[in-house]
Amino acid sequence: QITLKESGPTLVKPTQTLTLTCTFSGFSLSTSGVGVGWLRQPPGKALEWLALIYWDDDKRYNASLKNRLTITKDTSKNQVVLTMTNVDPVDTATYYCVHRQANSMVRGVPNWYDPWGQGTLVIVST
Amino acid sequence: DIQMTQSPSSLSASVGDRVTITCRASQSISNFLNWYQQKPGKVPDLLIYAASSLQSGVPSRFSGSGSGTEFTLTISSLQPEDFATYYCQQSYNTPITFGQGTRLEIK
């Protein structure tokens, strides 16, 4: 059974750096084809994709966040960490980590997110 | 970026109704299209992947179709537990993008 759980601060001040950790079980990020991603959802709004890291350390980011994001993995700890610099109140959201799944180990095939972590609410405020 | 547009944005329907939600992509995404259901205060759940494959455990009243730029999610006979918000998502390339959501409400 695959599970993921997000952890990190609930309250962050503007301009600070936010660090979120996704701790997972039931799979290994050293296995070909595996990926872990981060998404967020501001209160009452739609889902926004942030970043994804693959088993081979290939990383993809949402460029709209203007290079504020860094995603890293620690395979030995079964963790993926997302850092977001210079946070702003508009970054207030529930942040989710997700397991990327596909029917093939290669890239370029249909893929989807399942399961999701429970989410962690981050509030950016003074 | 690939833009995903869902219609309608909201929908009122009754138990037993057949409901269809449409998702359009701004460019062809083949069958790289997934559907998620989100209930208030809950985590999104995968319903349909690769446009038409039913996720394990999801009731068969849910179905997906389409390819290229136009896709549909159909619920054949609405049940009380189906009232939620539905999102489409393209996984064709990054950034991965979602539709704005369709809120399905009880009439």
PDB file of all heavy atoms in Angstrom, chain A residues 70-88:
ATOM      1  N   THR A  70      12.515  24.521  -5.418  1.00  0.00           N
ATOM      2  CA  THR A  70      13.542  23.497  -5.536  1.00  0.00           C
ATOM      3  C   THR A  70      12.966  22.200  -4.983  1.00  0.00           C
ATOM      4  O   THR A  70      12.406  22.193  -3.878  1.00  0.00           O
ATOM      5  CB  THR A  70      14.815  23.864  -4.751  1.00  0.00           C
ATOM      6  OG1 THR A  70      15.317  25.119  -5.219  1.00  0.00           O
ATOM      7  CG2 THR A  70      15.883  22.800  -4.941  1.00  0.00           C
ATOM      8  N   ILE A  71      13.100  21.129  -5.739  1.00  0.00           N
ATOM      9  CA  ILE A  71      12.648  19.819  -5.292  1.00  0.00           C
ATOM     10  C   ILE A  71      13.848  18.893  -5.218  1.00  0.00           C
ATOM     11  O   ILE A  71      14.701  18.885  -6.097  1.00  0.00           O
ATOM     12  CB  ILE A  71      11.548  19.254  -6.231  1.00  0.00           C
ATOM     13  CG1 ILE A  71      10.894  18.013  -5.639  1.00  0.00           C
ATOM     14  CG2 ILE A  71      12.091  18.996  -7.623  1.00  0.00           C
ATOM     15  CD1 ILE A  71       9.630  17.564  -6.387  1.00  0.00           C
ATOM     16  N   THR A  72      13.934  18.142  -4.122  1.00  0.00           N
ATOM     17  CA  THR A  72      15.032  17.199  -3.927  1.00  0.00           C
ATOM     18  C   THR A  72      14.481  15.906  -3.341  1.00  0.00           C
ATOM     19  O   THR A  72      13.368  15.884  -2.801  1.00  0.00           O
ATOM     20  CB  THR A  72      16.102  17.757  -2.983  1.00  0.00           C
ATOM     21  OG1 THR A  72      15.502  18.044  -1.712  1.00  0.00           O
ATOM     22  CG2 THR A  72      16.752  19.012  -3.531  1.00  0.00           C
ATOM     23  N   LYS A  73      15.271  14.851  -3.448  1.00  0.00           N
ATOM     24  CA  LYS A  73      14.852  13.578  -2.882  1.00  0.00           C
ATOM     25  C   LYS A  73      15.950  12.996  -2.018  1.00  0.00           C
ATOM     26  O   LYS A  73      17.136  13.237  -2.258  1.00  0.00           O
ATOM     27  CB  LYS A  73      14.449  12.589  -3.981  1.00  0.00           C
ATOM     28  CG  LYS A  73      15.568  12.184  -4.935  1.00  0.00           C
ATOM     29  CD  LYS A  73      15.019  11.223  -5.992  1.00  0.00           C
ATOM     30  CE  LYS A  73      16.076  10.893  -7.035  1.00  0.00           C
ATOM     31  NZ  LYS A  73      17.153  10.072  -6.519  1.00  0.00           N
ATOM     32  N   ASP A  74      15.533  12.251  -1.024  1.00  0.00           N
ATOM     33  CA  ASP A  74      16.443  11.467  -0.193  1.00  0.00           C
ATOM     34  C   ASP A  74      15.904  10.038  -0.249  1.00  0.00           C
ATOM     35  O   ASP A  74      14.983   9.686   0.490  1.00  0.00           O
ATOM     36  CB  ASP A  74      16.478  12.005   1.230  1.00  0.00           C
ATOM     37  CG  ASP A  74      17.522  11.296   2.085  1.00  0.00           C
ATOM     38  OD1 ASP A  74      17.803  10.102   1.836  1.00  0.00           O
ATOM     39  OD2 ASP A  74      18.062  11.933   3.009  1.00  0.00           O
ATOM     40  N   THR A  75      16.471   9.268  -1.125  1.00  0.00           N
ATOM     41  CA  THR A  75      15.964   7.919  -1.356  1.00  0.00           C
ATOM     42  C   THR A  75      16.082   7.045  -0.108  1.00  0.00           C
ATOM     43  O   THR A  75      15.206   6.227   0.171  1.00  0.00           O
ATOM     44  CB  THR A  75      16.722   7.277  -2.529  1.00  0.00           C
ATOM     45  OG1 THR A  75      16.615   8.130  -3.668  1.00  0.00           O
ATOM     46  CG2 THR A  75      16.151   5.924  -2.874  1.00  0.00           C
ATOM     47  N   SER A  76      17.148   7.229   0.647  1.00  0.00           N
ATOM     48  CA  SER A  76      17.363   6.393   1.832  1.00  0.00           C
ATOM     49  C   SER A  76      16.318   6.661   2.909  1.00  0.00           C
ATOM     50  O   SER A  76      15.980   5.773   3.694  1.00  0.00           O
ATOM     51  CB  SER A  76      18.756   6.627   2.392  1.00  0.00           C
ATOM     52  OG  SER A  76      18.897   7.952   2.862  1.00  0.00           O
ATOM     53  N   LYS A  77      15.792   7.887   2.927  1.00  0.00           N
ATOM     54  CA  LYS A  77      14.784   8.251   3.932  1.00  0.00           C
ATOM     55  C   LYS A  77      13.368   8.175   3.373  1.00  0.00           C
ATOM     56  O   LYS A  77      12.409   8.436   4.101  1.00  0.00           O
ATOM     57  CB  LYS A  77      15.031   9.666   4.444  1.00  0.00           C
ATOM     58  CG  LYS A  77      16.293   9.850   5.261  1.00  0.00           C
ATOM     59  CD  LYS A  77      16.375  11.277   5.770  1.00  0.00           C
ATOM     60  CE  LYS A  77      17.614  11.497   6.607  1.00  0.00           C
ATOM     61  NZ  LYS A  77      17.716  12.904   7.082  1.00  0.00           N
ATOM     62  N   ASN A  78      13.237   7.855   2.091  1.00  0.00           N
ATOM     63  CA  ASN A  78      11.908   7.874   1.448  1.00  0.00           C
ATOM     64  C   ASN A  78      11.237   9.230   1.629  1.00  0.00           C
ATOM     65  O   ASN A  78      10.081   9.322   2.061  1.00  0.00           O
ATOM     66  CB  ASN A  78      11.018   6.758   1.992  1.00  0.00           C
ATOM     67  CG  ASN A  78      11.335   5.415   1.377  1.00  0.00           C
ATOM     68  OD1 ASN A  78      12.145   5.307   0.448  1.00  0.00           O
ATOM     69  ND2 ASN A  78      10.723   4.368   1.885  1.00  0.00           N
ATOM     70  N   GLN A  79      11.971  10.267   1.290  1.00  0.00           N
ATOM     71  CA  GLN A  79      11.455  11.616   1.424  1.00  0.00           C
ATOM     72  C   GLN A  79      11.731  12.453   0.177  1.00  0.00           C
ATOM     73  O   GLN A  79      12.737  12.265  -0.502  1.00  0.00           O
ATOM     74  CB  GLN A  79      12.070  12.333   2.640  1.00  0.00           C
ATOM     75  CG  GLN A  79      11.613  11.781   3.966  1.00  0.00           C
ATOM     76  CD  GLN A  79      12.211  12.540   5.145  1.00  0.00           C
ATOM     77  OE1 GLN A  79      13.286  13.123   5.054  1.00  0.00           O
ATOM     78  NE2 GLN A  79      11.506  12.530   6.269  1.00  0.00           N
ATOM     79  N   VAL A  80      10.803  13.364  -0.073  1.00  0.00           N
ATOM     80  CA  VAL A  80      10.975  14.387  -1.105  1.00  0.00           C
ATOM     81  C   VAL A  80      10.718  15.735  -0.439  1.00  0.00           C
ATOM     82  O   VAL A  80       9.736  15.894   0.291  1.00  0.00           O
ATOM     83  CB  VAL A  80      10.012  14.179  -2.280  1.00  0.00           C
ATOM     84  CG1 VAL A  80      10.045  15.373  -3.234  1.00  0.00           C
ATOM     85  CG2 VAL A  80      10.366  12.898  -3.025  1.00  0.00           C
ATOM     86  N   VAL A  81      11.612  16.672  -0.674  1.00  0.00           N
ATOM     87  CA  VAL A  81      11.511  17.984  -0.044  1.00  0.00           C
ATOM     88  C   VAL A  81      11.279  19.049  -1.112  1.00  0.00           C
ATOM     89  O   VAL A  81      11.940  19.051  -2.159  1.00  0.00           O
ATOM     90  CB  VAL A  81      12.789  18.306   0.754  1.00  0.00           C
ATOM     91  CG1 VAL A  81      12.737  19.731   1.298  1.00  0.00           C
ATOM     92  CG2 VAL A  81      12.956  17.300   1.895  1.00  0.00           C
ATOM     93  N   LEU A  82      10.343  19.933  -0.828  1.00  0.00           N
ATOM     94  CA  LEU A  82      10.079  21.081  -1.702  1.00  0.00           C
ATOM     95  C   LEU A  82      10.382  22.352  -0.923  1.00  0.00           C
ATOM     96  O   LEU A  82       9.892  22.524   0.193  1.00  0.00           O
ATOM     97  CB  LEU A  82       8.621  21.112  -2.148  1.00  0.00           C
ATOM     98  CG  LEU A  82       8.260  22.264  -3.085  1.00  0.00           C
ATOM     99  CD1 LEU A  82       8.804  22.004  -4.487  1.00  0.00           C
ATOM    100  CD2 LEU A  82       6.750  22.497  -3.117  1.00  0.00           C
ATOM    101  N   THR A  83      11.212  23.206  -1.493  1.00  0.00           N
ATOM    102  CA  THR A  83      11.435  24.511  -0.885  1.00  0.00           C
ATOM    103  C   THR A  83      10.909  25.597  -1.823  1.00  0.00           C
ATOM    104  O   THR A  83      11.046  25.502  -3.042  1.00  0.00           O
ATOM    105  CB  THR A  83      12.912  24.765  -0.569  1.00  0.00           C
ATOM    106  OG1 THR A  83      13.671  24.679  -1.782  1.00  0.00           O
ATOM    107  CG2 THR A  83      13.446  23.747   0.413  1.00  0.00           C
ATOM    108  N   MET A  84      10.312  26.587  -1.215  1.00  0.00           N
ATOM    109  CA  MET A  84       9.762  27.724  -1.939  1.00  0.00           C
ATOM    110  C   MET A  84      10.294  28.985  -1.273  1.00  0.00           C
ATOM    111  O   MET A  84      10.056  29.214  -0.083  1.00  0.00           O
ATOM    112  CB  MET A  84       8.230  27.715  -1.910  1.00  0.00           C
ATOM    113  CG  MET A  84       7.589  28.915  -2.593  1.00  0.00           C
ATOM    114  SD  MET A  84       5.790  28.936  -2.446  1.00  0.00           S
ATOM    115  CE  MET A  84       5.381  27.537  -3.477  1.00  0.00           C
ATOM    116  N   THR A  85      11.013  29.774  -2.040  1.00  0.00           N
ATOM    117  CA  THR A  85      11.603  30.980  -1.475  1.00  0.00           C
ATOM    118  C   THR A  85      10.645  32.172  -1.594  1.00  0.00           C
ATOM    119  O   THR A  85       9.690  32.169  -2.375  1.00  0.00           O
ATOM    120  CB  THR A  85      12.910  31.328  -2.201  1.00  0.00           C
ATOM    121  OG1 THR A  85      12.627  31.535  -3.595  1.00  0.00           O
ATOM    122  CG2 THR A  85      13.939  30.218  -2.050  1.00  0.00           C
ATOM    123  N   ASN A  86      10.924  33.192  -0.776  1.00  0.00           N
ATOM    124  CA  ASN A  86      10.227  34.473  -0.874  1.00  0.00           C
ATOM    125  C   ASN A  86       8.701  34.314  -0.940  1.00  0.00           C
ATOM    126  O   ASN A  86       8.041  34.809  -1.854  1.00  0.00           O
ATOM    127  CB  ASN A  86      10.736  35.230  -2.116  1.00  0.00           C
ATOM    128  CG  ASN A  86      10.302  36.677  -2.126  1.00  0.00           C
ATOM    129  OD1 ASN A  86      10.061  37.277  -1.081  1.00  0.00           O
ATOM    130  ND2 ASN A  86      10.172  37.250  -3.312  1.00  0.00           N
ATOM    131  N   VAL A  87       8.145  33.660   0.060  1.00  0.00           N
ATOM    132  CA  VAL A  87       6.701  33.397   0.038  1.00  0.00           C
ATOM    133  C   VAL A  87       5.918  34.686   0.215  1.00  0.00           C
ATOM    134  O   VAL A  87       6.399  35.679   0.783  1.00  0.00           O
ATOM    135  CB  VAL A  87       6.297  32.356   1.098  1.00  0.00           C
ATOM    136  CG1 VAL A  87       6.965  31.030   0.815  1.00  0.00           C
ATOM    137  CG2 VAL A  87       6.594  32.852   2.499  1.00  0.00           C
ATOM    138  N   ASP A  88       4.689  34.631  -0.253  1.00  0.00           N
ATOM    139  CA  ASP A  88       3.774  35.767  -0.258  1.00  0.00           C
ATOM    140  C   ASP A  88       2.408  35.258   0.207  1.00  0.00           C
ATOM    141  O   ASP A  88       2.124  34.068   0.085  1.00  0.00           O
ATOM    142  CB  ASP A  88       3.682  36.313  -1.688  1.00  0.00           C
ATOM    143  CG  ASP A  88       2.790  37.526  -1.804  1.00  0.00           C
ATOM    144  OD1 ASP A  88       1.560  37.340  -2.041  1.00  0.00           O
ATOM    145  OD2 ASP A  88       3.302  38.641  -1.636  1.00  0.00           O
TER     146      ASP A  88
END
